[in-house]
Amino acid sequence: MQDLGKAVGTLIRKRRKALGISQEKLALLTNIDRSYVGRIERGEVNLTVEKLYQFAQALQCHARELLP
Amino acid sequence: MQDLGKAVGTLIRKRRKALGISQEKLALLTNIDRSYVGRIERGEVNLTVEKLYQFAQALQCHARELLP
């Protein structure tokens, strides 16, 4: 299941870069610590569905788009 | 965000019923305690993405279909 975390993290990173925002900015938007955002993007964290929606809102997409 | 848990729980229940399987059977399939499955369906739990995929696999659908 670690691949799942990596796949979700990659989709978050791709979406963040497509919007041209930094990890710092995403951390601010989601009210999550910047280093934790980095861990999430590297797939080191098993996100909750609630956090997934927080990211989707900050990344202006549906949470489904952040699922592989 | 509690509504999110309830909405996901409702989708899981709907899908389970559409497949005609009991909570006990779903608990077996997901290797999760039956009472915990009940709490998830009632939206009392903030699922992880990993657990969401576990349910999707047991319910023979994509995890996206379990997101409102």
Side-chain angles (χ1 to χ4, degrees), chain A residues 7-68:
Chain A
V8 171
T10 302
L11 287 169
I12 288 173
R13 175 170 287 168
K14 256 191 208 161
R15 180 67 187 169
R16 173 174 64 77
K17 289 192 171 184
L19 292 173
I21 60 174
S22 65
Q23 272 189 358
E24 286 72 20
K25 174 74 173 166
L26 183 54
L28 273 172
L29 290 169
T30 53
N31 203 15
I32 292 171
D33 181 74
R34 209 272 324 143
S35 66
Y36 196 64
V37 170
R39 288 186 60 221
I40 288 165
E41 289 194 355
R42 289 190 300 275
E44 295 168 6
V45 172
N46 181 13
L47 274 183
T48 64
V49 171
E50 202 171 284
K51 278 277 190 300
L52 187 75
Y53 271 71
Q54 241 177 293
F55 273 95
Q57 194 173 19
L59 293 167
Q60 302 156 43
C61 66
H62 193 286
R64 291 192 195 107
E65 296 171 65
L66 299 177
L67 291 186

Side-chain angles (χ1 to χ4, degrees), chain B:
Chain B
M1 278 283 174
Q2 267 175 340
D3 299 343
L4 176 59
K6 281 204 172 84
V8 171
T10 302
L11 287 169
I12 287 173
R13 173 169 287 167
K14 262 191 199 158
R15 181 67 187 169
R16 173 173 64 77
K17 292 193 168 182
L19 293 173
I21 59 175
S22 65
Q23 270 188 358
E24 285 74 18
K25 176 75 173 169
L26 183 54
L28 274 171
L29 290 169
T30 53
N31 203 14
I32 292 170
D33 182 78
R34 208 270 328 140
S35 65
Y36 196 63
V37 169
R39 288 186 59 221
I40 288 166
E41 287 194 356
R42 289 190 300 276
E44 295 167 7
V45 172
N46 182 13
L47 274 183
T48 63
V49 170
E50 200 171 287
K51 278 277 189 301
L52 187 74
Y53 271 70
Q54 238 176 296
F55 274 94
Q57 195 173 17
L59 294 167
Q60 300 157 43
C61 67
H62 193 286
R64 289 194 197 105
E65 295 171 64
L66 300 177
L67 291 186

